[in-house]
Amino acid sequence: MSMETTAWTQLHSVMNAQTETRPFARATLRRIGAFARPHRTRIAQFVVLGVATALLAVATPILAGHVVDAIVTGDDEGTVVRLALLIALIAVAEAALGILGRRLSATLGEGLILDLRTAVFDHVQRMPVAFFTRTRTGALVSRLNNDVIGAQRAFSNTLSGVVSNLVTLLLTLAVMLTLSWQITLLALALLPVFVIPARRMGSRMARMQREAAALNAAMGTRMTERFSAPGATLVKLFGRPEQESEEFAARARRVADIGVRTATAQSVFITALTLVSALALALVYGLGGWFALRGTLEPGAVVSLALLLTRLYAPLTSLAGARVEVMSALVSFERVFEVLDLKPLIEEKEDAREVGDGPVAVEFDDVRFGYPSADKVSLASLEEVASLDTRGGEEVLKGISFRAEPGRTVALVGSSGAGKSTIAQLLPRLYDVDAGAVRVGEQDIRDLTAQSLRETIGMVTQDGHLFHDTVRANLLLARPAATEDDLWDALRRSRLDELVRSLPDGLDTVVGERGYRLSGGERQRMTIARLLLARQRVVILDEATAHLDNTSEAAVQEALTEALEGRTAIVIAHRLSTIRAADQILVVEAGQIVERGTHDELLAVGGRYAELHRTQFEERDSAKVSTDIDQKDTKPDSIIATI
């Protein structure tokens, strides 16, 4: 490795290393060892390969010196040819070991990345919904990408580098001291000139790089917000394109300025260190030549010392920066372990059972619940805040009890924030109750397997979320083994088959991010089709028609009637007209059921339900009058007459 290459490598390591240098617990190292244990054979092979490469690296300069001595002493041609062939064989062996080492490095590093990413991904999937409502998605994705890759460097780069560089350094020093201890000590005296600028310049450039990264992240966030469908619509309606462009250009200019300063600093640094290496070589040739002319040093030894000098500075500078690289890797490991140490609030019992066959009843028995505080479900670093919000734990549900018989519909109504959606989230066990019990098929859901619950309970939320994928993929999420006929049957029953047939690629048409290429009513019917395909026996409708116009609502209602047939249903609705036919209506206020009965019974009582009903239909009638006025003749003379 040339000195210029070594300078670039050292500079890159310092620039990209983490700056945190706090001590690490032995438990962290033990956990790293646990992840490394399955790869111990490859790690051993990697270390042996590094030692072999180091031996070959030192052998070439020595042989080159022997060639020079053979030429100077007038040795026979055969000796020179044999030495040259041996140098060629070593070069081939070095190349082969380099390729093999790179393959082992890649296999080891990628294997570790696979293990860490899989562990983090599987663990995150087990986290409660509260974790995802608090966490910034970008920060979480960074743990699966940047931090995992940072941890991987500890094995693929740092480990092999420390071993091979240490062996190379010891061998090189031993040989150089044997050849000329005076020249060796003078060469070592120049080392601070080589290392110290790398550290100082690297720290300075690291600051510039972090500033550029922060600016790039800000630009990325801004682009993500502005380029999403809702964000672009908002900017077009209320934004100022010129100001948006100026603000973006200002950040981009700062990044460009930092790029120029970084490139200039790099050039000065590398040029200076290349000059130092040239001066060091001049010292070796000058002092070595003087010793050779005086007969105290062989000419070949001078050449060997010059070649070995390049092999000396490379491992020395790399080992000088090894601590920074190790600390950087350990920080990455700790950030990964930080996520893995978050305990999921929902745990499946080892002896969990399946839900029985046939129609099932749903029962809430004196259920009490409060949302967990942030410290139980999140990390400050994932929320990108200085400290976690300590609020939480206040009781949201206060003794909820009701029963939905098999095949019957129970509707929940009440003010916003009364606890209706919380009840809906407890049934599929998105959260666990604090007291009481939720039962499905006469069994506490905490005693049932998660897979069994997913196969039994289906839910349609008000946002109708879809993935940026095809219609087919979004439907198969519910039942991967579904046939083509099953898909079309679900689409027909959800009143979507004609629409899908009219799409450019039919079932293989991509619906866009969050399904934004479809209308609100179409997205809702798509989620209903998914529900029909899953064939779940319990259905939760959480305000599935809350944000739809009358036409879309009518289409969705038709699909919902199909979806609810023969199923036990829990329905939450803002529009009371959608739940008139429910077998039982529960009025929820402040986390308690204050009224229960059928539509007619509750109207007859004249309580909270009757008040909600009266208020809503007065608003509807008022809206209808406004619409009728808008639709009247609005010619100028009519307006004047009205005035």
Side-chain angles (χ1 to χ4, degrees), residues 395-400 411-421 423 573-574 576 585-596 607-613 615:
E395 204 167 60
V396 177
L397 300 182
K398 306 168 184 178
I400 297 292
L412 305 178
V413 300
S415 307
S416 295
K420 304 185 299 296
S421 293
I423 293 172
H574 273 311
L576 302 186
I585 299 173
L586 307 178
V587 182
V588 183
E589 293 294 343
Q592 296 177 305
I593 297 175
V594 296
E595 293 178 7
R596 65 180 75 207
R608 179 59 178 156
Y609 180 81
E611 182 185 347
L612 289 170
H613 186 271
T615 303

Side-chain angles (χ1 to χ4, degrees), residues 568-588:
T568 307
I570 306 295
V571 178
I572 301 172
H574 273 311
R575 301 181 185 183
L576 302 186
S577 59
T578 63
I579 48 91
R580 286 174 180 267
D583 297 291
Q584 185 180 25
I585 299 173
L586 307 178
V587 182
V588 183

Side-chain angles (χ1 to χ4, degrees), residues 102-125:
R102 186 69 190 93
R103 178 176 177 79
L104 268 176
S105 172
T107 303
L108 180 60
E110 294 301 327
L112 185 69
I113 286 179
L114 176 62
D115 293 346
L116 282 174
R117 278 183 176 159
T118 303
V120 175
F121 186 86
D122 291 347
H123 186 75
V124 167
Q125 284 198 108

Side-chain angles (χ1 to χ4, degrees), residues 384-524:
E384 297 184 359
V385 294
S387 59
L388 288 171
D389 187 352
T390 57
R391 293 174 299 173
E394 297 86 1
E395 204 167 60
V396 177
L397 300 182
K398 306 168 184 178
I400 297 292
S401 295
F402 69 88
R403 182 179 174 86
E405 297 295 342
R408 300 289 184 174
T409 298
V410 171
L412 305 178
V413 300
S415 307
S416 295
K420 304 185 299 296
S421 293
T422 303
I423 293 172
Q425 291 175 336
L426 291 177
L427 182 53
R429 210 187 173 195
L430 299 182
Y431 295 93
D432 266 345
V433 300
D434 297 329
V438 178
R439 299 187 182 93
V440 172
E442 314 302 334
Q443 300 183 81
D444 193 317
I445 60 173
R446 290 168 292 189
D447 298 329
L448 300 172
T449 65
Q451 181 62 32
S452 180
L453 273 179
R454 283 193 291 269
E455 293 172 352
T456 303
I457 302 172
M459 189 171 184
V460 177
T461 58
Q462 55 185 298
D463 62 350
H465 189 84
L466 299 173
F467 289 130
H468 182 77
D469 210 329
T470 62
V471 173
R472 184 192 306 276
N474 274 286
L475 291 176
L476 289 178
L477 185 67
R479 187 153 62 93
T483 64
E484 193 94 353
D485 291 339
D486 292 333
L487 298 180
W488 284 114
D489 179 63
L491 289 170
R492 177 187 59 77
R493 294 167 64 193
S494 60
R495 314 299 189 265
L496 267 180
D497 55 328
E498 291 185 9
L499 170 70
V500 175
R501 291 185 195 279
S502 69
L503 295 175
D505 299 311
L507 287 170
D508 296 316
T509 302
V510 175
V511 299
E513 186 178 2
R514 300 185 66 183
Y516 274 122
R517 294 179 189 173
L518 303 176
S519 70
E522 290 164 352
R523 285 199 302 273
Q524 284 296 66

Side-chain angles (χ1 to χ4, degrees), residues 123-360:
H123 186 75
V124 167
Q125 284 198 108
R126 295 169 54 212
M127 297 305 294
V129 174
F131 171 80
F132 298 98
T133 61
R134 304 194 65 91
T135 299
R136 284 180 63 91
T137 306
L140 186 57
V141 171
S142 177
R143 297 293 169 100
L144 279 165
N145 289 331
N146 300 340
D147 288 315
V148 169
I149 291 174
Q152 172 252 352
R153 290 196 195 103
F155 289 91
S156 61
N157 293 347
T158 306
L159 175 66
S160 63
V162 168
V163 173
S164 61
N165 285 325
L166 189 59
V167 174
T168 301
L169 177 63
L170 293 175
L171 287 174
T172 302
L173 275 175
V175 174
M176 289 184 71
L177 287 169
T178 302
L179 294 174
S180 174
W181 63 268
Q182 299 96 331
I183 294 176
T184 302
L185 292 179
L186 283 173
L188 289 175
L190 288 173
L191 180 64
V193 182
F194 194 79
V195 174
I196 292 173
R199 303 290 297 174
R200 291 184 176 177
M201 186 64 73
S203 299
R204 178 186 170 191
M205 294 175 69
R207 287 193 297 272
M208 290 192 289
Q209 187 166 345
R210 283 193 293 272
E211 184 181 353
L215 290 169
N216 278 316
M219 286 194 297
T221 300
R222 195 175 188 85
M223 286 188 288
T224 300
E225 290 177 342
R226 268 60 175 179
F227 292 169
S228 66
T233 303
L234 188 62
V235 169
K236 288 183 181 298
L237 291 175
F238 299 103
R240 294 177 294 278
E242 297 80 8
Q243 183 177 341
E244 292 279 341
S245 179
E246 288 175 6
E247 290 177 0
F248 182 84
R251 286 190 175 95
R253 267 192 297 273
R254 287 176 64 189
V255 173
D257 292 342
I258 291 171
V260 172
R261 284 156 46 203
T262 302
T264 304
Q266 286 176 345
S267 179
V268 171
F269 172 74
I270 297 301
T271 301
L273 291 185
T274 303
L275 178 61
V276 171
S277 68
L279 294 175
L281 283 173
L283 171 67
V284 170
Y285 284 125
L287 187 57
W290 185 70
F291 284 143
L293 290 173
R294 294 190 60 183
T296 58
L297 190 66
E298 296 294 331
V302 177
V303 174
S304 293
L305 283 167
L307 293 175
L308 286 168
L309 183 67
T310 61
R311 310 276 178 154
L312 178 67
Y313 281 136
L316 272 173
T317 53
S318 295
L319 288 171
R323 180 178 175 275
V324 177
E325 294 180 25
V326 170
M327 296 300 292
S328 176
L330 287 175
V331 168
S332 295
F333 267 114
E334 282 226 331
R335 285 169 60 82
V336 172
F337 292 152
E338 193 179 28
V339 176
L340 293 176
D341 286 340
L342 272 173
K343 299 296 183 185
L345 296 182
I346 310 296
E347 294 284 2
E348 184 176 300
K349 293 182 178 179
E350 293 183 3
D351 58 347
R353 302 186 297 271
E354 303 288 322
V355 178
D357 296 330
V360 294

